[in-house]
Each structure stands twice: as C-alpha cells, then as structure tokens.
Amino acid sequence: MSAGTLAPARPVTPAAVTAAVVTAAAAVDPGRLVDGLIAAGFGPFTGVPCSFLGPVISHLEDHHPELYTIAANEGEAVAIAAGARLAGRRPVVILQNSGLGNTVNPLTSLCHTLRLPVLLLVTWRGEPGRPDEPQHELMGRITPELLTSMEIRHEPLPTDEELLAQRLRVAAEHMADTGLPFAFVVPKGAVAPYRGAKAAPAPAGGLMLRAEAIGEVVRAVGERSLLVATTGKTARELERDWDRPENLYVVGSMGCASSVALGVALHAPDRRVVVLDGDGAALMRLEALATIGRLAPGNLLHVLLDNEAYESTGGQPTGSGRLDFAGVAAACGYRATADVDDAASLRAALRTAAGAAGPALVRVRIAAGSDPNLGRPALTPPLSAARFQEAITA
C-alpha cells in the first residue's frame, strides 16, 4: 500500500503484525521514535506506562517534559488527548493493551462521536506465541479485534525510521480524512532500551522498602485477617514472604483491589479485611475511595503503599507526591486515616486502626526499589482465588 492510500479499519492478525515487525529493523531507538513523531507534527503525549514503552516515556521526561502528561488511567489519557485535539494539537496516547478496556468509552463515545482523532501507541502484552503473565492472555488474543471493533485503524509500529516516517504520514492523512483515531501496535522488543541521561531516583533516607512495610502489616493484623494485594510487586512480595490461604493475589485489573476488598468486607462482616494497595493503582480507580467511604464497612483497612512510581514498568512517576490521600479518604467518609513514613509510625497507626471501627486508610510512604530477583507468583490466579474463597468460610 502506498503512503497516500487509505484503507478502512481492518483486523491485523498476530502473524501479520509479527511478520511486519520482524522484516524491519530489530528495534527503534526511543529518542528517534519521539523525534519522528514530533517531526511529523504529533504531540503532546499522555498516558499510563507499560514496560514496552517505558523507554519512550523516559526520553520524554528527560528531553521533552513539557510534552508529557502523567494520566491516572488510560481513559483519562484519551480524554486529555481529546481536549488537546480541540486545542489544535495532534496528541499521542501511550498505553498498555490491558488498559484498552479503560479507553473503550472515551474512544467510542467521545472521540468517535465528536470526530476527535488521536494517535494511540498500544503495546501488545500477551501476544499469541509470546509467553507472558496470565492476566495478559485474553487481552493479548483480542487486542487487534478490539481495535477493529472500535473502528480504529491499526498496524504494527515500524522499527525502521524511513518506514516510520511514511506510516506516520499515512496515519495523519487517515485521521484528517476520517476524524477517527489511528493506532500503532507495539510488540515486545519493538522499542530499544533507553540509554539517555535519566538517573535512578535518589535513595529516600529512612523510608522502608515495600517488603518491609508489608511485613509490618501482616504481623500487626493477625492470622485470621483476609489480605487482598494489588497487582504487581505488592502481590509478588506478599506471596514470597507471607503466603497463606487468607491472601488473595490480584493480578492485572489494576486499581480494582480495593473494590474487591470492599466486596469481601461487605459480605464477610465477621472477618477483618485488609487491602494492600499502591499509589498508581489507587490513582487509577480513585472513585473506589468514595464508595468505600459511603458504604463504610467497619471491618475494612486500606493500606496504601506509596513510592510515587510505577515500579513494575520501570519506575515512571505516578504523580502521587502532592496528593493528600489521607485527606481524600477522610473527605470520602473513611472514619480513620493516617499518613506515615517509618516503621514505628506504621505500627502505631495499625494499632489505632485495630481499635476503631473502619473503614480506615493508612498511607505508607515507602522507598522505590525491590529485590531484582523477585520472582513471579507461583500460585496460579484461579488457585489463589479458590483457596481464598475456602479461607473466608473456614
């Protein structure tokens, strides 16, 4: 197809995407990708990190911070981009394909309805034929079909610079002619590692690591408490160090752990329920605090482990640093809140929460970082859920 030829939205099979990527260069340098997008008239950028596109975000943070906006979830990113389009820009939304579900409403009822085309960079976790985590398996299979169902034309991200420039022209023409979004699908390895000047965050003196904070919580809440751990390293560290039937390891569904814990707390009122949440996850579903506060289950403790980073995807910032989580929770109706940054204060806050009716929120400011050899969960998600169900009624 020539650079100026347009085609209707169409499915892209896994084999077709893989073949197209393999025949091009091995990987595109993240700086050259960003430069190519800007040269083609695209920007600003917004979204939620994925490790596949982490190098792109790192380059933006170092070289074009004014062009990158951190979004709490992918749907918000699409809406921000729609606003930028209204202001005359050609915005780019960066997201993991697991977050496509969060974008369905704004892509179909905002961008499609108002004809506000945005460019999507959608990673392809769970691509058929490439082993990945279980939470990516279903979305990996249906990513191309989901984009097609939303009438979003899509194709693999070119890793050759000349081809990239050509396909960006095609994308721009398609968006101008149809008023609809255009997506580049980004398989694993399509973007090279970032080798720029981005420095590791400075050590936060005195702050606990996440694993230490988890240990303090587990020791304080007692053996019969039910623990629901958010996706990512929180669940992995809880399983590694404190595995027991009363633990539920939420995988995927980022931001949903506190709502899962709420459902358990409401329908197992004789058990104490503790959710181990993260700052990125809490921001993604901040509305959960409002529902928890409104329903006010007395047996729910919400522990929010805040390192101000999406650590599982490379340490990109979450934007939580200036947010008063305890103040938000109190405004939502939580009956007790605390904001702590050391082990002694955490233990004191947990004792206070144990002696009062909930819901309670304890925000724990922790240092970024974890064991580089931290493994993946050994227990499969269905077995984790079945074991937890049995433990509730034990």
Side-chain angles (χ1 to χ4, degrees):
M1 182 169 62
S2 66
T5 302
L6 299 179
R10 65 208 185 281
V12 176
T13 65
V17 172
T18 303
V21 172
V22 168
T23 56
V28 62
D29 177 80
R32 292 185 182 276
L33 174 56
V34 171
D35 290 346
L37 286 161
I38 294 174
F42 288 99
F45 301 76
T46 184
V48 179
C50 174
S51 57
F52 290 8
L53 284 168
V56 172
I57 294 174
S58 295
H59 180 87
L60 286 167
E61 289 174 334
D62 279 348
H63 299 281
H64 304 284
E66 75 287 356
L67 292 179
Y68 177 62
T69 298
I70 302 166
N73 67 55
E74 297 84 358
E76 179 195 26
V78 171
I80 291 170
R85 185 72 192 196
L86 285 166
R89 305 298 297 274
R90 283 185 181 171
V92 180
V93 179
I94 297 170
L95 69 148
Q96 186 177 106
N97 58 332
S98 62
L100 268 176
N102 288 335
T103 71
V104 170
N105 180 267
L107 283 172
T108 58
S109 64
L110 174 62
C111 292
H112 189 280
T113 304
L114 276 64
R115 289 301 192 266
L116 296 173
V118 300
L119 184 67
L120 307 173
L121 297 182
V122 183
T123 65
W124 200 356
R125 297 296 304 265
E127 177 186 354
R130 294 197 182 196
D132 210 324
E133 300 305 307
Q135 64 266 31
H136 299 300
E137 189 268 335
L138 176 57
M139 184 59 83
R141 287 204 320 266
I142 68 172
T143 291
E145 288 77 11
L146 180 56
L147 289 167
T148 297
S149 295
M150 291 191 288
E151 298 185 3
I152 296 174
R153 181 172 169 178
H154 53 94
E155 60 185 59
L157 177 73
T159 54
D160 174 81
E161 290 181 46
E162 184 176 344
L163 182 58
L164 173 64
Q166 179 197 67
R167 302 316 296 169
L168 286 173
R169 289 194 296 271
V170 170
E173 291 170 4
H174 174 79
M175 294 162 68
D177 289 348
T178 66
L180 298 177
F182 188 103
F184 285 109
V185 179
V186 185
K188 184 176 183 179
V191 178
Y194 180 62
R195 305 189 186 283
K198 188 172 182 62
L207 294 182
M208 294 177 286
L209 289 171
R210 182 179 41 254
E212 298 174 74
I214 290 173
E216 294 289 350
V217 173
V218 174
R219 285 189 289 266
V221 300
E223 293 183 358
R224 275 188 54 80
S225 291
L226 303 169
L227 270 70
V228 178
T230 190
T231 188
K233 294 188 177 182
T234 299
R236 290 159 60 186
E237 289 179 339
L238 178 65
E239 185 197 44
R240 181 195 65 186
D241 299 335
W242 303 94
D243 183 48
R244 60 195 188 116
E246 293 81 7
N247 295 351
L248 176 67
Y249 309 116
V250 178
V251 296
S253 55
M254 185 173 172
C256 292
S258 59
S259 298
V260 171
L262 171 62
V264 174
L266 291 172
H267 300 286
D270 60 330
R271 302 292 292 272
R272 191 180 191 198
V273 181
V274 182
V275 56
L276 297 175
D277 211 352
D279 47 308
L283 286 168
M284 183 166 282
R285 294 292 184 193
L286 201 57
E287 73 276 4
L289 274 69
T291 305
I292 290 170
R294 175 170 58 84
L295 297 176
N299 57 334
L300 180 61
L301 171 62
H302 193 165
V303 179
L304 203 162
L305 305 169
D306 185 1
N307 62 4
E308 301 183 22
Y310 293 105
E311 191 170 330
S312 293
T313 63
Q316 299 85 10
T318 61
S320 68
R322 296 185 181 182
L323 180 61
D324 181 2
F325 277 112
V328 172
C332 287
Y334 280 64
R335 292 173 177 166
T337 63
D339 195 321
V340 303
D341 60 8
D342 61 67
S345 298
L346 174 57
R347 289 192 289 270
L350 293 171
R351 285 195 297 271
T352 299
L361 180 136
V362 179
R363 182 214 200 152
V364 190
R365 299 177 190 263
I366 59 173
S370 60
D371 181 356
N373 297 315
L374 179 64
R376 298 290 179 177
L379 196 66
T380 66
L383 286 177
S384 171
R387 190 180 70 166
F388 185 74
Q389 284 182 296
E390 292 180 4
I392 290 176
T393 56

